[in-house]
Amino acid sequence: MRKRMCSLIAVAIAVVCIGCQHGSHNDVHSAPPTTLGRPNVEVFSDLWPGKIDRDGVLAAPVYFDYDSYALRADALESLQKKSEILKGYPGLRVQIQGHCDERGSQEYNLALAETRAQTVRAHLEQLGVPSTQLMTISYGEEMPAVVGHDEVAWAKNRRCEFVH
């Protein structure tokens, strides 16, 4: 019984100490604290990353025309908004995921999706986002946003997604 009580007191002290180390939790530039290896969701649910991207600007995909990696006008506008957020939060990292529709060989689609992701990355860097905040990966046709074999589905699958 005494051992159990001492253990509970030690855990309580550790929890209080962790809380003191993190102060008021207003610094969204650093990663959220963890408790036993898990994010402290209670403390940061309104700050990380939801508060940073409350309008879904960072998460919104950028779309491409068929067999193209050229940035469309709507993509340029979206990337401008994304760059402003990223420059405001230098500790935030974004993975740019390149995707294609199902047409073309697997090798071709992996290469095209990679080129799309690299084009997006280069444009964000040109807008002033540090390269250390950006990572790219190509999924080719392997992760469709919409399952289907028509232009409506293909148009939604030709994209770059942003995971933060």
Side-chain angles (χ1 to χ4, degrees):
M1 182 71 165
R2 284 183 88 173
K3 280 186 177 183
R4 181 178 284 185
M5 185 62 116
C6 288
S7 295
L8 288 173
I9 291 171
V11 169
I13 290 170
V15 169
V16 169
C17 289
I18 289 171
C20 292
Q21 290 175 354
H22 296 290
S24 66
H25 303 294
N26 287 329
D27 184 10
V28 295
H29 295 291
S30 60
T34 59
T35 304
L36 301 175
R38 295 185 311 265
N40 189 341
V41 177
E42 293 175 350
V43 173
F44 277 93
S45 62
D46 64 332
L47 294 177
W48 190 269
K51 192 169 183 179
I52 293 171
D53 192 25
R54 76 189 93 147
D55 298 326
V57 172
L58 275 178
V62 169
Y63 295 101
F64 295 86
D65 292 329
Y66 174 67
D67 198 28
S68 174
Y69 57 87
L71 296 172
R72 303 180 336 187
D74 59 331
L76 293 172
E77 183 179 332
S78 176
L79 292 174
Q80 178 65 43
K81 292 176 184 176
K82 291 176 193 313
S83 74
E84 291 167 10
I85 293 171
L86 289 167
K87 289 186 289 186
Y89 294 93
L92 185 61
R93 306 284 184 265
V94 173
Q95 183 182 68
I96 304 164
Q97 301 176 342
H99 299 272
C100 289
D101 62 36
E102 65 186 353
R103 297 173 290 179
S105 71
Q106 187 175 23
E107 294 81 18
Y108 178 81
N109 286 338
L110 279 171
L112 179 57
E114 177 65 26
T115 304
R116 287 175 174 167
Q118 291 295 335
T119 299
V120 167
R121 179 186 180 138
H123 189 73
L124 287 170
E125 288 174 356
Q126 196 173 43
L127 293 171
V129 178
S131 62
T132 55
Q133 286 184 261
L134 307 170
M135 300 169 287
T136 61
I137 189 167
S138 172
Y139 287 109
E141 64 189 72
E142 299 303 315
M143 296 176 65
V146 177
V147 177
H149 309 289
D150 59 13
E151 186 54 43
V152 173
W154 294 331
K156 292 291 184 184
N157 293 332
R158 298 187 302 258
R159 71 199 188 282
C160 278
E161 291 187 341
F162 302 83
V163 178
H164 53 91

